[in-house]
Amino acid sequence: MAEPASKKARTADLSSLQSFKYSPPQTIAEIGCNHKGELEIAKELLTLAKECGATVGKFQKRTPKELLTPDQYNAPHPNPTNSYGATYGEHREFLELSLEDHRLLQKHCQSIGLEYSCSVWDTTSAKEIITLNPKLIKVGSPSNTHWEMQKVLRDE
C-alpha cells in the first residue's frame, strides 16, 4: 500500500512528494442551521451556494436530547428574541431537520451538481447520516473527544 501523502509531507526527502496528485480545493458552504428549520430555505441556500461557486453544501445534525443535559435542554435560550422555543432544547429541536429532509437535501445537491455534507454532533446523528453515505461527514470541534461517536463513524 502506498504511503499517504500526509506522511510523505513530513519527510525531509522532497523527492518522495513526486507521486503526490494535486486535486483542486473544495469550497464548502456552511448552511448549518441558517435554514431556520425549513426545508425549502435549506434548498434555496444550497442553490445560492452553488451559484456562488461552492462545491460542497454542509449542514449540521444534532439530537438535542442526547447532546444536552436536562438542565441545558430546559434552560431558557440565552437570547429569547432569537429563540424558536420556550427552552434552549425546544429551540434546538425546532431547527433540526429530519433524516428524510437530509435525504431530500442530498438529492437536491445531486440535481444541481453540489456535494452534500454534514457535521454530526452525537451518536444518533452519526448513525443517521452514515445511512446517506456522503463523501464527507465532519466532526465538529465540540465532538472531538466524543469517542463513542468516533467509533461509530469509524466502524459503521
Side-chain angles (χ1 to χ4, degrees):
M1 187 166 132
E3 188 175 38
S6 60
K7 190 165 186 179
K8 288 180 185 178
R10 294 187 189 125
T11 182
D13 179 11
L14 296 181
S15 65
S16 68
L17 295 175
Q18 296 303 317
S19 64
F20 179 78
K21 184 178 182 293
Y22 173 80
S23 297
Q26 301 293 304
T27 304
I28 301 174
E30 173 65 51
I31 309 297
C33 58
N34 291 314
H35 49 72
K36 301 190 282 186
E38 296 183 32
L39 183 61
E40 291 308 311
I41 292 175
K43 287 180 179 179
E44 182 181 354
L45 290 169
L46 287 170
T47 301
L48 290 169
K50 175 65 178 176
E51 290 172 358
C52 291
T55 54
V56 179
K58 190 177 81 58
F59 291 89
Q60 296 180 10
K61 184 88 175 93
R62 296 173 177 85
T63 308
K65 287 194 174 177
E66 181 178 332
L67 188 62
L68 301 171
T69 67
D71 286 345
Q72 291 170 325
Y73 190 94
N74 294 314
H77 189 283
N79 186 344
T81 305
N82 295 334
S83 183
Y84 291 100
T87 67
Y88 183 70
E90 289 176 13
H91 165 80
R92 293 295 340 159
E93 297 278 0
F94 181 88
L95 293 174
E96 283 306 311
L97 297 172
S98 70
L99 178 59
E100 182 57 26
D101 289 338
H102 279 270
R103 186 173 280 108
L104 293 171
L105 291 170
Q106 187 179 42
K107 286 181 182 178
H108 181 70
C109 284
Q110 291 167 346
S111 75
I112 62 172
L114 191 67
E115 193 67 45
Y116 165 88
S117 178
C118 191
S119 292
V120 294
W121 291 62
D122 54 76
T123 304
T124 300
S125 295
K127 287 179 178 183
E128 290 180 349
I129 296 301
I130 285 170
T131 68
L132 300 178
N133 197 28
K135 282 187 180 179
L136 173 66
I137 297 176
K138 183 179 181 293
V139 175
S141 298
S143 302
N144 280 345
T145 58
H146 190 323
W147 304 122
E148 177 188 344
M149 183 185 75
Q150 299 278 351
K151 287 177 187 172
V152 166
L153 291 168
R154 181 192 68 197
D155 298 338
E156 292 189 22

